[in-house]
Amino acid sequence: MRKEALYLKIAKVIEGQIDSETLRLGDKLPSIRTIQHTYDVSINTAKQAFLELESKSLIESRPKSGYFVSKTSRRKFSLPTVGKLKSSQDEKHPEDLIGRIFDTLKDKEVRQFSLGVPDKSLLPIAKLNKGMIAAIRNLNDSGTSYEPVQGSINLRRTIAKWSLVLDGKLTEDDIVTTSGTMNAIYNCLLAVTQRGDTIAVETPVYFGILHVARSMGLNVIEIPNHPITGVDLDALKKVLPQIKACCFVTNFSNPLGCLMPEAHKKELVNMLTEHNIPLIEDDLYGNLFFGTARPKPCKAFDEAGIVLWCGSVSKTLAPGYRVGWVAPGKFKDKIIRQKLLQTISTPSLYQEVVADFMEHGRFDHHLRTLRGKLYGNCLKFQRAIEDYFPHNTKISQPQGGFMLWLELDKKIDAAKLYDIAINQKISFAPGRMFSLHNQYNNCMRLNFGLEWNEKLDFDLKRLGNIVKSAI
Amino acid sequence: MRKEALYLKIAKVIEGQIDSETLRLGDKLPSIRTIQHTYDVSINTAKQAFLELESKSLIESRPKSGYFVSKTSRRKFSLPTVGKLKSSQDEKHPEDLIGRIFDTLKDKEVRQFSLGVPDKSLLPIAKLNKGMIAAIRNLNDSGTSYEPVQGSINLRRTIAKWSLVLDGKLTEDDIVTTSGTMNAIYNCLLAVTQRGDTIAVETPVYFGILHVARSMGLNVIEIPNHPITGVDLDALKKVLPQIKACCFVTNFSNPLGCLMPEAHKKELVNMLTEHNIPLIEDDLYGNLFFGTARPKPCKAFDEAGIVLWCGSVSKTLAPGYRVGWVAPGKFKDKIIRQKLLQTISTPSLYQEVVADFMEHGRFDHHLRTLRGKLYGNCLKFQRAIEDYFPHNTKISQPQGGFMLWLELDKKIDAAKLYDIAINQKISFAPGRMFSLHNQYNNCMRLNFGLEWNEKLDFDLKRLGNIVKSAI
């Protein structure tokens, strides 16, 4: 048997497994080394077999995570519609709806597709606990004293080091720690706006941002977000004279999971620098990329100090730790002052634990595993939705993170659907939550950062049936 | 020898020890049981001896802490002058001065009389650490998940139970946890005022309140604070029509250490209820009383829900934990909403540790010890200042807490004195920090929440010499 034949034979075996659904969408393939041993072939033959499958779009490689069954090129469902530019008129905040969703978060029997964080089964809790016990022993006063207002020096140093993606621009002195990303954004908005100002956000947008903006008396313009490439810069350009600040999730926006291309990021920073408009960049999902590398934030292209780069470990390590940070550019002094006023300092211990976790490679290791699981789940969710939901369902194609955005039949009111679903112990986030305007009523956001199993697959089937019966 | 003679003899021995300074002001006396055994007398005789000394104002009993050498009735120095009513005019915030003081907090070689917290040698760090390790093991997810916005149910329940001083009025549902008291006050001000409103605070007042009020665009009226009885209600009455909220430390105000009498508290609550003016009651020192019992807060007399009662463990257990709370009365929903917007939730672990510490009597035990030490230190500081400072020095008579307020010769500029002192590695808080107006320039605040030893005594002597040489 010739070598070519050998790799093709292996590829065919795997293709057959994919066809028979022995290997299913999102499943991880055996490693090249395993193939090598199983078929007793050279490493090059094993690699060639995978290349063959990749060329057919049957599998996808993910750096340091391995190969996954993928059929993205065979998507049956189309992308959701791009939202419309909406300025501060006819607003109605979906507060009651958000309240109803929050109320069900406590119910442990409910399937929580509405969660805004990965399920705790995906978090490295045992390792964090070890880190916590070590930190208690190592810290001079075990975190009982106030720490410097700017935040733990160890954490700031580690974030600076570890933000290589920013081309090493940041130093510990550029960073201020916060109580999670929401607190970073709250303080950034407080620093760069005044009551009555107008800010730009993407649409659909995480409702927390809308909430905060309104509480500060800010007007909000919702800029269309493309499900793949993010903020529509042409739309933004039109409203530029009206706005005092932008607040965007440039990497894997919640709920769309879109990724602003690097060229757009550069253009955005140039445009805002020219008009001296600060950009609050909410980069809390940036490490959960499905592509080949961690995408750069806009901060990487910021020469004028107008980008306030916000991050946290709430989506990757421990939401409850409330460890976040901001590199506020030229607004640093203002941010530090506000932090002092609001709360004096952030608790030390959690920051030390996170710093240590990042410093010693455990964070990178955890992220690789987490990304692998999330990407696999994303594919599995998409397949299940294509199997179980009506054929006119539209579905996003997240480039990272753990949120899926579905656009259902126009007749469907997702808020009403929610009431039916919650009776069947299934919770999701109705689309209306993600805008100040009366839109996205037929949309829903699903969290796929959950432990995949048969029950989960079945719950998606049940949800699909609920949707079907509503048309 | 007759019994009467016996107790008198014992009393004379102790009085001799006080005269010879074998027992010094602020020292703790042997326990009644020790006296009983030492002199082989009945417990009643020992008690009578102490009563005799108490009747001469030579010693003072402190409940559950024992007897201390006191000569308060023999005070050589008079009380500081009462401040003047100051409205929002000719204000100049002492920001630079505050910045300078904060900068020296990092220097471990400096004697930190300027600290706003008790020295860590007075905190139960080892016990807290044990609690922390237990909490990590016991918590379902070790605090990695978001907790309910309102805060840890265990902590809220414990605060409610343990606030017996409020006549058991509070339930867990009335309390919202915060990131320390400053965060509670920040949120209370945000909830009850709008930009441009005027609030009343005491004078001299903790500068953090002034800072926050200004950052929110609030005008501030400074109400005279009597060094013993606190806020001058007659002065407050005059400005009542102008103000939208009061923000007072009713128990052991910082820096004066004064205590508003219960009758005043009732009058204050009645007055404010009548005018529907909210009272933000900052009760963070309430547990550090030198009297016979924990004084009630105004909250105990609040029927209308206008008192927002704020507390924390920052002054008693662990400043760095950032565990505080507020019982916001009728403003509860607003406060919860704001907390959600600013930071989603507070970290769980610290709250569980504090709840457990309070629940199992360890807090009460620790407070007894701490109060004993603070009261002793207060007397020792007063004695040392009477010994080492110029004779025209005026000094406060704190009823609790750990702050002393000194009024020096009118010629002295305490801000300039600070520069001299800091060169000699002594830091204190210049009086100017405690007002928005150009006053208290000849005053200083000293923290006596430090471990008493010869070095400390010597440092007070050095500070006294610096003051003397400045006249």
Side-chain angles (χ1 to χ4, degrees), chain A residues 65-347:
Chain A
S65 282
Y67 285 82
F68 289 79
V69 178
S70 97
K71 281 193 275 190
T72 49
S73 63
R74 300 187 192 175
R75 270 176 70 100
K76 286 192 289 185
F77 287 6
S78 48
L79 286 172
T81 321
V82 178
K84 290 191 179 57
L85 184 73
K86 296 272 186 182
S87 60
S88 266
Q89 276 162 355
D90 308 319
E91 285 181 1
K92 204 183 162 300
H93 195 257
E95 205 160 328
D96 294 346
L97 188 56
I98 294 172
R100 269 158 65 204
I101 312 300
F102 262 84
D103 283 346
T104 64
L105 286 182
K106 295 162 205 159
D107 189 341
K108 291 210 193 315
E109 283 175 31
V110 167
R111 167 61 72 188
Q112 298 290 5
F113 290 126
S114 53
L115 273 183
V117 290
D119 188 73
K120 66 184 182 191
S121 63
L122 304 181
L123 304 177
I125 295 179
K127 282 181 189 166
L128 288 172
N129 286 351
K130 271 192 196 167
M132 184 73 81
I133 289 168
I136 292 168
R137 294 199 175 120
N138 295 340
L139 267 186
N140 178 17
D141 57 2
S142 306
T144 52
S145 301
Y146 291 136
E147 59 165 31
V149 181
Q150 199 171 340
S152 152
I153 182 80
N154 288 330
L155 180 60
R156 288 188 285 125
R157 198 174 286 153
T158 311
I159 294 166
K161 266 199 247 173
W162 164 91
S163 300
L164 283 178
V165 73
L166 296 171
D167 303 330
K169 263 191 208 165
L170 293 181
T171 73
E172 63 215 45
D173 199 44
D174 298 318
I175 294 163
V176 183
T177 71
T178 61
S179 300
T181 324
M182 263 323 274
N183 185 245
I185 291 172
Y186 178 86
N187 272 299
C188 290
L189 281 172
L190 211 57
V192 303
T193 65
Q194 295 195 320
R195 194 162 278 273
D197 283 352
T198 298
I199 63 163
V201 304
E202 61 259 58
T203 186
V205 65
Y206 167 56
F207 45 85
I209 307 290
L210 299 174
H211 234 115
V212 172
R214 277 173 59 102
S215 81
M216 293 186 177
L218 301 173
N219 301 312
V220 172
I221 296 183
E222 300 184 10
I223 309 287
N225 221 13
H226 187 275
I228 300 291
T229 55
V231 174
D232 177 345
L233 295 185
D234 290 329
L236 177 64
K237 240 176 251 172
K238 284 180 202 155
V239 299
L240 225 43
Q242 294 166 249
I243 60 171
K244 281 289 190 306
C246 292
C247 187
F248 295 146
V249 180
T250 50
N251 297 323
F252 324 126
S253 178
N254 169 9
L256 280 180
C258 50
L259 170 62
M260 187 184 282
E262 207 166 292
H264 288 210
K265 284 175 180 159
K266 286 178 186 166
E267 193 187 336
L268 175 63
V269 173
N270 285 341
M271 196 194 300
L272 296 181
T273 302
E274 199 181 308
H275 291 77
N276 196 24
I277 297 173
L279 168 62
I280 301 168
E281 183 175 35
D282 184 358
D283 194 15
L284 77 174
Y285 296 102
N287 287 309
L288 300 178
F289 55 90
F290 299 161
T292 51
R294 208 275 190 210
K296 287 187 187 176
C298 287
K299 183 74 182 170
F301 313 110
D302 175 32
E303 299 293 334
I306 59 149
V307 178
L308 303 95
W309 179 68
C310 306
S312 79
V313 296
S314 302
K315 307 298 180 184
T316 50
L317 274 188
Y321 278 17
R322 310 312 299 121
V323 169
W325 55 85
V326 53
K330 62 181 182 180
F331 305 97
K332 193 184 87 176
D333 291 346
K334 229 170 168 180
I335 296 282
I336 292 176
R337 211 189 117 121
Q338 284 168 199
K339 181 176 171 187
L340 176 68
L341 295 181
Q342 277 163 35
T343 171
I344 299 182
S345 64
T346 31

Side-chain angles (χ1 to χ4, degrees), chain A residues 95 102 108 117 120 123 125 128-129 132-133 136-137 140-146 148-149 179 182-183 186 190 206 208 211-212 215 314-315 317-322 337 340-350, chain B residues 95 102 106 108 117 120 123 125 128-129 132-133 136-137 140-146 149 179 182-183 186 190 206 208 211-212 215 314-315 317-322 337 340-350:
Chain A
E95 205 160 328
F102 262 84
K108 291 210 193 315
V117 290
K120 66 184 182 191
L123 304 177
I125 295 179
L128 288 172
N129 286 351
M132 184 73 81
I133 289 168
I136 292 168
R137 294 199 175 120
N140 178 17
D141 57 2
S142 306
T144 52
S145 301
Y146 291 136
V149 181
S179 300
M182 263 323 274
N183 185 245
Y186 178 86
L190 211 57
Y206 167 56
H211 234 115
V212 172
S215 81
S314 302
K315 307 298 180 184
L317 274 188
Y321 278 17
R322 310 312 299 121
R337 211 189 117 121
L340 176 68
L341 295 181
Q342 277 163 35
T343 171
I344 299 182
S345 64
T346 31
S348 319
L349 264 185
Y350 290 112
Chain B
E95 207 160 329
F102 261 86
K106 294 163 204 158
K108 292 212 192 314
V117 289
K120 66 185 181 193
L123 303 177
I125 294 179
L128 288 173
N129 285 351
M132 183 75 80
I133 289 169
I136 291 169
R137 294 199 175 122
N140 178 18
D141 57 2
S142 306
T144 52
S145 302
Y146 291 135
V149 181
S179 301
M182 262 322 272
N183 185 243
Y186 177 87
L190 211 56
Y206 166 56
H211 234 115
V212 171
S215 82
S314 301
K315 306 299 180 183
L317 274 187
Y321 279 17
R322 312 312 299 120
R337 210 187 117 122
L340 177 67
L341 294 183
Q342 278 163 36
T343 172
I344 299 182
S345 63
T346 31
S348 319
L349 265 185
Y350 290 112

Side-chain angles (χ1 to χ4, degrees), chain A residues 345-365:
Chain A
S345 64
T346 31
S348 319
L349 264 185
Y350 290 112
Q351 296 183 58
E352 297 305 326
V353 173
V354 170
D356 188 67
F357 203 85
M358 286 181 165
E359 183 72 24
H360 293 107
R362 291 194 292 277
F363 192 44
D364 275 331
H365 175 78

Side-chain angles (χ1 to χ4, degrees), chain B residues 152-189:
Chain B
S152 152
I153 182 79
N154 288 331
L155 180 60
R156 289 187 285 124
R157 198 174 287 153
T158 312
I159 294 164
K161 265 198 247 176
W162 165 91
S163 301
L164 283 179
V165 71
L166 297 170
D167 302 331
K169 264 191 207 164
L170 293 180
T171 73
E172 64 215 44
D173 198 44
D174 298 318
I175 294 164
V176 183
T177 72
T178 61
S179 301
T181 325
M182 262 322 272
N183 185 243
I185 291 172
Y186 177 87
N187 272 299
C188 290
L189 281 172

